Amino acid sequence: MPPVGGDPDSLSQLVWILLDKAIKFSADGGNVWVTVTQRGDRAQLNVSDDGTGIRPGDERRIFERFYRADEARIGGGAGLGLAIAMTIVQAHGGAIVAANNATGGASVVADLPLFSPTS
């Protein structure tokens, strides 16, 4: 994994939030994929699932505090997980996006700067 500079506890929380969401929205026996790739001086963490996907138009809204896309699908939760994920990513100088993928599920990509000994 490319080294990302920052607070290890916050970065661990980011991974757990994205994994939790992917598992939560996958069907029983579904799949979750996690990849980390290096793109120049950036690392991209991609967490994808083959679940129900993101309703069109909600790709940005799912990162808003307290936003819950569909009460019938999600059960419990306060609608804070992805807002916290965005805050963590932004605090580390990165960006986060969500979209549907080829399996019909969702993909969330956190783009983070790599560790630099001079920063």
Side-chain angles (χ1 to χ4, degrees):
M1 177 169 156
V4 173
D7 177 57
D9 290 335
S10 293
L11 293 169
S12 292
Q13 184 179 16
L14 169 66
V15 173
W16 283 113
I17 289 168
L18 298 183
L19 284 172
D20 178 64
K21 294 296 180 191
I23 291 167
K24 186 176 188 176
F25 289 106
S26 290
D28 288 341
N31 296 291
V32 172
W33 300 273
V34 178
T35 59
V36 179
T37 55
Q38 183 174 341
R39 303 262 191 258
D41 63 348
R42 314 287 291 179
Q44 291 184 337
L45 167 65
N46 185 330
V47 179
S48 299
D49 63 63
D50 60 359
T52 56
I54 302 167
R55 195 169 48 192
D58 281 347
E59 295 88 351
R60 293 297 311 152
R61 294 202 66 205
I62 63 173
F63 295 105
E64 295 175 9
R65 289 178 53 202
F66 307 114
Y67 183 73
R68 295 170 56 157
D70 184 349
E71 296 288 331
R73 291 190 311 152
I74 63 172
L80 289 173
L82 290 175
I84 292 169
M86 177 176 262
T87 300
I88 292 168
V89 170
Q90 289 175 339
H92 286 83
I96 189 168
V97 296
N100 288 323
N101 59 45
T103 68
S107 292
V108 178
V109 179
D111 183 76
L112 297 159
L114 293 177
F115 173 74
S116 171
T118 59
S119 57

